[in-house]
């Protein structure tokens, strides 16, 4: 049984635990929050008796084998390294860190201590994404990838009223590219690797983060266009265009369906059953890797996480987004 602790008592942690409860060899044994009251309240919901308000104590504790980190982006690196050095396996919410330098630090800590580090990017582990990977050869030479993840943030209303919450605060390494753009970039990197050239534009908000943006990515024989936004809404599918046809993916942030539209007018449904909560698959992958004694996932691998972050660093450089974490 893998005993896991959680850092962060927000909705994403609840969503993760909803999926994780279906993983046979995973058990929630500890909860961290900055306040004892919050930690007790959250732990009580899940029948957990061990709580922490001190991360060093949690890392040193023998009540956990692994930790799931769902704190603000700017805290990921420091917290992950602390637990990796304590020889605890780490599943870290996306984006894994504030920048590529931090990702490298985290990878180094995992390798030095012989423990698993994995970015909690759920979409690339889900069955329908795997189905896309298995069927992509059917569309012939791929020429274009277009993906969009535009989801109006409920916190934007507060922002417009003058309250800058974490989601729009550069102190927390947040913004549209970091929080949503990664969902369109990570699958691209898993499928096609790192591009040769990145051209980015974005709409900056007064707080110092981007509200929306788009990136053109060039490869030897294909190009990709990705769009993301926290200030508009869109339900546009993702399309992978090949010379023989196109693959359409519904909801790139957590693929629910996929189909092929062939050039001759025929269509093929390549959707596969996904009967578990969306975050079950990443929890299952994480536990499976620990049991196999592996230090990284083949899918959400170190190189995929690092390449994605390097693209985001370059996009931020072009748009002019600077985080306090970049200066440290």
């Amino acid at each position: 049984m893998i005993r896991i602790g959680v850092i962060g008592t927000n909705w994403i942690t609840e969503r993760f635990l909803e999926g994780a409860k279906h993983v046979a060899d995973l058990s929630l044994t500890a909860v961290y929050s900055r306040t004892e009251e919050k930690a007790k309240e959250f732990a009580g919901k899940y029948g957990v008796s061990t709580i922490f308000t001190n991360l060093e104590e949690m890392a040193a504790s023998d009540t956990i084998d692994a930790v799931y980190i769902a704190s603000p982006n700017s805290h990921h690196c420091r917290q992950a390294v602390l637990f990796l050095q304590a020889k605890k396996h780490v599943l870290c919410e996306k984006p894994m860190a504030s920048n590529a330098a931090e990702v490298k630090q985290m990878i180094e800590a995992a390798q030095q201590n012989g423990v698993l580090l994995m970015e909690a990017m759920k979409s690339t582990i889900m069955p329908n994404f795997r189905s896309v990977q298995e069927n992509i050869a059917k569309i012939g030479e791929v020429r274009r990838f277009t993906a969009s993840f535009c989801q109006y943030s409920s916190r934007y209303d507060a922002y417009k009223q003058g309250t800058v919450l974490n989601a729009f605060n550069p102190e927390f390494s947040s913004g549209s590219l970091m929080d949503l753009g990664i969902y369109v970039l990570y699958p691209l990197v898993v499928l096609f690797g790192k591009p040769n050239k990145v051209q980015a534009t974005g709409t900056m908000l007064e707080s110092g983060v981007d509200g929306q943006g788009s990136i053109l990515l060039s490869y030897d024989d294909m190009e990709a266009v990705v769009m993301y936004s926290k200030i508009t809404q869109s339900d546009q599918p993702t399309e992978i265009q090949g010379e023989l046809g196109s693959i359409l993916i519904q909801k790139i942030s957590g693929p629910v369906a996929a189909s092929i539209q062939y050039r001759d007018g025929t269509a093929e449904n390549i959707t596969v059953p996904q009967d578990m909560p969306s975050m079950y698959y990443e929890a299952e992958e994480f536990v499976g890797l620990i049991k196999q004694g592996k230090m990284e996932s083949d899918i959400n691998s170190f190189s995929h996480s690092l390449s994605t972050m390097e693209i985001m660093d370059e996009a931020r450089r072009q748009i002019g987004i600077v985080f306090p974490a970049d200066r440290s």
Side-chain angles (χ1 to χ4, degrees):
M1 182 64 71
I2 309 299
R3 301 164 306 159
I4 198 166
V6 294
I7 297 173
T9 52
N10 49 31
W11 67 270
I12 193 81
T13 307
E14 292 188 340
R15 196 73 58 82
F16 170 73
L17 292 171
E18 183 192 319
K21 73 181 180 191
H22 298 282
V23 180
D25 296 323
L26 190 64
S27 166
L28 175 66
T29 54
V31 169
Y32 166 85
S33 182
R34 282 170 302 170
T35 69
E36 192 174 335
E37 184 189 357
K38 218 171 198 184
K40 276 184 174 165
E41 185 195 337
F42 193 87
K45 275 194 219 171
Y46 296 94
V48 172
S49 55
T50 306
I51 63 157
F52 293 96
T53 53
N54 179 295
L55 281 173
E56 283 74 15
E57 283 176 19
M58 186 180 185
S61 165
D62 60 4
T63 58
I64 60 165
D65 309 300
V67 68
Y68 167 71
I69 298 175
S71 54
N73 303 338
S74 55
H75 297 339
H76 289 181
C77 177
R78 183 181 55 81
Q79 293 175 347
V81 169
L82 175 68
F83 282 85
L84 293 164
Q85 287 175 340
K87 298 204 168 6
K88 303 288 195 276
H89 305 288
V90 172
L91 179 62
C92 185
E93 255 314 322
K94 54 87 218 144
M96 198 187 261
S98 299
N99 52 46
E102 288 188 350
V103 171
K104 286 175 185 169
Q105 213 181 317
M106 292 161 74
I107 292 168
E108 207 171 285
Q111 289 171 331
Q112 284 173 353
N113 291 282
V115 283
L116 171 66
L117 168 66
M118 185 177 114
E119 189 161 7
M121 173 53 72
K122 66 176 182 181
S123 54
T124 43
I125 309 262
M126 289 173 72
N128 277 307
F129 184 80
R130 296 193 183 200
S131 177
V132 169
Q133 287 178 297
E134 287 160 13
N135 287 280
I136 200 164
K138 294 177 180 176
I139 62 168
E141 186 80 27
V142 173
R143 295 302 185 189
R144 177 170 287 145
F145 174 99
T146 55
S148 162
F149 186 27
C150 302
Q151 187 170 278
Y152 188 91
S153 171
S154 56
R155 294 169 183 85
Y156 186 52
D157 291 332
Y159 178 85
K160 287 191 286 187
Q161 299 300 318
T163 305
V164 180
L165 298 169
N166 291 11
F168 292 100
N169 188 341
E171 291 288 325
F172 296 107
S173 306
S174 58
S176 178
L177 171 64
M178 297 296 278
D179 297 343
L180 302 187
I182 190 166
Y183 278 112
V184 286
L185 289 168
Y186 206 104
L188 173 70
V189 169
V190 172
L191 289 169
F192 305 108
K194 200 177 172 189
N196 304 326
K197 191 179 176 189
V198 172
Q199 293 164 271
T201 58
T203 304
M204 289 293 287
L205 302 176
E206 282 175 14
S207 67
V209 302
D210 60 326
Q212 64 177 12
S214 54
I215 308 174
L216 175 63
L217 307 106
S218 310
Y219 290 81
D220 288 343
D221 300 308
M222 63 165 277
E223 65 176 28
V225 184
V226 301
M227 293 159 282
Y228 45 88
S229 173
K230 296 181 91 161
I231 57 177
T232 60
Q233 184 80 24
S234 170
D235 297 309
Q236 197 178 318
T238 287
E239 186 178 44
I240 305 170
Q241 296 176 20
E243 293 186 356
L244 303 178
S246 297
I247 293 178
L248 290 174
I249 305 166
Q250 302 299 330
K251 205 173 173 203
I252 192 64
S253 60
V256 290
S259 61
I260 302 176
Q261 302 291 328
Y262 291 103
R263 217 181 59 229
D264 65 5
T266 59
E268 182 186 355
N269 184 5
I270 56 168
T271 306
V272 292
Q274 280 179 179
D275 35 21
M276 287 290 187
S278 63
M279 291 178 81
Y280 159 81
Y281 303 99
E282 70 187 54
E284 181 195 40
E285 168 87 352
F286 185 65
V287 168
L289 293 168
I290 294 172
K291 287 165 76 177
Q292 292 166 53
K294 290 195 171 179
M295 281 188 288
E296 68 175 305
S297 164
D298 291 337
I299 308 157
N300 291 4
S301 63
F302 294 161
S303 68
H304 289 154
S305 291
L306 184 57
S307 292
T308 302
M309 189 54 74
E310 285 170 346
I311 294 168
M312 290 163 73
D313 281 1
E314 177 57 24
R316 284 199 297 117
R317 188 189 68 75
Q318 292 180 22
I319 298 165
I321 306 164
V322 181
F323 300 137
D326 299 327
R327 301 188 187 103
S328 57

